Amino acid sequence: MTLKLYDTATRTVRDFVPLVDGKVSIYHCGLTVQASPHLGHIRKEVVFDVLRRWLEHQSYDVTVVANVTDIDDKILAKSAEAGVEWFAHAYRFERELHEAYAALGCKPPTYEPRATGHIPEMIELIEVLIERGHAYPAPDGSGDVYFDVTSWPRYGELSGMKVDEMEAAADADPRGKRDPRDFALWKGHKESEPATASWASPWGRGRPGWHLECSAMAGKYLGDTFDIHGGGIDLRFPHHENELAQSAAAGRGFARYWMHNAWVTMAGEKMSKSLGNTAQVSEVTKAYNPRAVRFFLLAPHYRSTIEFSPADEGTRGSLAEAEKAIERIDSFIDRARAFVPEDSRAVRDGDAPEYEAFTQAMDDDLGTPAATAALFEAVRAGNQAIAGGDAAKAALYAVVVGRMLHVLGIHPDAPEWAARSTGSDLTPVVDGLVGALLAQRTKAREAKDWAAADSIRDTLADVGLTITDTPAGPRWSLEKK
């Protein structure tokens, strides 16, 4: 089955065909590093991480570019409030963004360019737009440069909005605009702003507009035309609409597919810093298993809204259910390890009907609800095989479930999770000690010394360990309190 993706630009589900055979290029808008990242931000990272993993699983060579907006009106305002340099403020929260990536098991982008490192490319793009008649310097001497919305007949094609129905852009003083809906490509330096937050340009010192930054960086690293552009649905207008307009008006093909994930809401409203209704990744992953938080974000379809509200029992239940799902997965992985063959490459996915269902779901516009349902069907079948002593079938499901988990980014043995499973280097020691006790229990059972065997089991249970007897021998797991 061919991968099908919902293209926001055409509002249809389309077969995905890469621009270059065997290679996929993806650009998604990173964070404006003004404050700590919350679940609403990081959902996009999880969605595109799953997409990347699925494409790589299908043997594509995937390049992911995700920018960092490190100069912006809000960064300047918040850094001034905090009494720190704007670049120090931005760097602090850029580091928090990287910590949030890691906390939820997201692979780092292939490259993560900063806006401030690409001023020459932005100036070059503005010059092309002026030359083509789609941009103009403000006549008021402010140093602002604007995109002329009415000069581009295709404006509104991504969002479906018509120019006549649009309100004025709010990103600059309207005095220098020909039309109140024109948007800023370059913002002239203001005396109230730090001198370090400006760069030389043909129109005077200033800094780039937000929309311009992404167009310039996407073009530099992925070329004039690339496969997929993505981000949260709130970016579709005006940000992505403006990106598309200025890039296309400059003669670039730009993105061939547009993907947008839905919001994470709190009390029915979009999670946002301005509303104060945020759930910082750093805090949520202290309260809940980080893999469960990732599962909570990926299990619903990426185009459906997720409601998160710590004050709501139902939402707490959703995260609690995600933790139970992870516990069920881990229990199976612990039991199944003994059945994984030395060369798992010989195991054919097609021998498991659940894997076919998983594949069909993932190829159907990244259908994670059906994919996770297939995953748990495979877990159930694997548990039945282990309980029934069917080693060959247990080996099949041990491998197939593992492959599904790697695609979703929640395999407990993956490097991004295994290194912090206990928070220490004691795992081999603990495993050895528990293994020694289990060996004593096995000998006691063989000698029919049931009292000694039960005593060992009860001792382990008292410290939170669950013992499961399997055809391959006893297995232990840590019981979550």
Side-chain angles (χ1 to χ4, degrees):
M1 180 177 176
T2 302
L3 173 63
K4 296 180 182 294
L5 296 175
Y6 180 84
D7 180 15
T8 310
T10 62
R11 296 161 188 77
T12 59
V13 176
R14 300 168 51 203
D15 288 351
F16 175 70
V17 181
L19 180 66
V20 178
D21 188 37
K23 297 179 181 292
V24 177
S25 49
I26 302 173
Y27 185 93
H28 57 89
C29 291
L31 191 62
T32 298
V33 284
Q34 55 162 313
S36 300
H38 56 63
L39 291 185
H41 299 128
I42 214 68
R43 183 187 187 185
K44 184 264 297 182
E45 312 303 335
V46 171
V47 165
F48 283 92
D49 187 61
V50 171
L51 173 64
R52 173 186 186 172
R53 289 170 182 268
W54 180 236
L55 291 166
E56 290 176 340
H57 183 71
Q58 295 176 311
S59 300
Y60 284 105
D61 179 7
V62 183
T63 298
V64 178
V65 175
N67 73 292
V68 171
T69 297
D70 61 340
I71 184 67
D72 175 81
D73 292 342
K74 293 178 181 178
I75 291 174
L76 294 179
K78 288 183 178 291
S79 62
E81 289 174 11
V84 299
E85 297 284 1
W86 64 270
F87 47 81
H89 182 91
Y91 183 57
R92 170 192 167 186
F93 292 110
E94 181 182 341
R95 292 180 64 185
E96 286 198 19
L97 173 62
H98 294 156
E99 290 167 3
Y101 276 156
L104 294 185
C106 296
K107 294 183 177 184
T110 308
Y111 189 58
E112 192 176 35
R114 293 188 182 120
T116 53
H118 299 80
I119 302 299
E121 290 83 2
M122 298 174 196
I123 291 174
E124 180 182 354
L125 179 54
I126 294 173
E127 290 177 328
V128 171
L129 289 169
I130 291 175
E131 182 181 336
R132 287 174 169 244
H134 298 298
Y136 59 93
D140 59 3
S142 63
D144 293 346
V145 181
Y146 295 103
F147 183 87
D148 185 348
V149 168
T150 59
S151 75
W152 186 243
R154 288 167 50 189
Y155 191 77
E157 63 184 308
L158 179 61
S159 62
M161 298 178 66
K162 296 179 180 179
V163 174
D164 292 342
E165 299 172 351
M166 296 178 185
E167 295 181 358
D171 60 354
D173 191 324
R175 290 178 302 172
K177 296 183 180 183
R178 294 175 182 170
D179 187 292
R181 293 160 296 193
D182 294 347
F183 60 88
L185 299 172
W186 188 260
K187 298 184 177 185
H189 177 65
K190 298 179 178 64
E191 289 299 322
S192 60
E193 297 176 350
T196 53
S198 66
W199 290 261
S201 82
W203 316 283
R205 295 196 67 83
R207 56 188 171 87
W210 176 35
H211 316 303
L212 180 81
E213 296 172 353
C214 291
S215 286
M217 288 184 281
K220 181 175 178 67
Y221 296 103
L222 298 178
D224 286 355
T225 305
F226 55 93
D227 289 312
I228 299 171
H229 193 316
I233 191 64
D234 53 317
L235 298 183
R236 182 174 57 179
F237 185 89
H239 184 48
H240 289 168
E241 187 72 71
N242 292 349
E243 274 189 73
L244 174 58
Q246 64 201 9
S247 297
R252 302 178 180 181
F254 211 53
R256 300 171 61 244
Y257 296 80
W258 288 84
M259 291 181 66
H260 291 93
N261 61 274
W263 292 337
V264 177
T265 59
M266 291 183 71
E269 295 186 79
K270 172 198 168 188
M271 187 175 289
S272 68
K273 297 184 182 73
S274 60
L275 292 176
N277 58 352
T278 60
Q280 293 183 7
V281 176
S282 58
E283 295 302 316
V284 177
T285 52
K286 289 177 185 176
Y288 298 93
N289 181 332
R291 286 168 57 229
V293 178
R294 179 182 172 99
F295 185 83
F296 173 76
L297 293 173
L298 70 82
H301 194 272
Y302 75 91
R303 289 192 284 118
S304 63
T305 300
I306 300 175
E307 172 68 14
F308 177 89
S309 175
D312 180 81
E313 289 294 334
T315 301
R316 284 211 299 273
S318 297
L319 275 166
E321 286 300 315
E323 289 197 315
K324 289 179 181 178
I326 293 298
E327 289 173 22
R328 183 180 172 193
I329 288 167
D330 290 353
S331 176
F332 171 73
I333 292 297
D334 285 341
R335 299 179 71 200
R337 282 193 180 97
F339 297 92
V340 177
E342 289 187 12
D343 186 5
S344 61
R345 292 173 299 179
V347 175
R348 297 184 305 175
D349 297 322
D351 292 338
E354 297 85 358
Y355 184 81
E356 183 178 353
F358 180 87
T359 298
Q360 290 178 349
M362 293 299 290
D363 277 344
D364 185 11
D365 192 29
L366 222 60
T368 51
T372 53
L375 164 67
F376 285 108
E377 282 299 309
V379 167
R380 182 188 60 79
N383 279 325
Q384 288 180 344
I386 293 171
D390 189 338
K393 198 168 185 180
L396 167 66
Y397 282 102
V399 174
V400 167
V401 168
R403 289 171 181 167
M404 294 179 183
L405 294 175
H406 281 297
V407 167
L408 298 175
I410 53 175
H411 197 299
D413 295 341
E416 56 266 29
W417 303 113
R420 49 199 168 107
S421 59
T422 64
S424 73
D425 296 326
L426 295 177
T427 302
V429 176
V430 173
D431 194 50
L433 291 172
V434 175
L437 287 172
L438 290 178
Q440 292 178 23
R441 177 174 175 266
T442 298
K443 288 183 179 180
R445 287 164 61 91
E446 290 173 350
K448 300 187 185 302
D449 186 352
W450 308 117
D454 289 347
S455 176
I456 293 171
R457 181 199 61 204
D458 293 343
T459 297
L460 293 173
D462 287 343
V463 296
L465 299 182
T466 299
I467 308 304
T468 305
D469 293 307
T470 77
R475 304 289 300 173
W476 70 272
S477 60
L478 183 62
E479 184 178 292
K480 188 171 180 66
K481 297 296 185 181

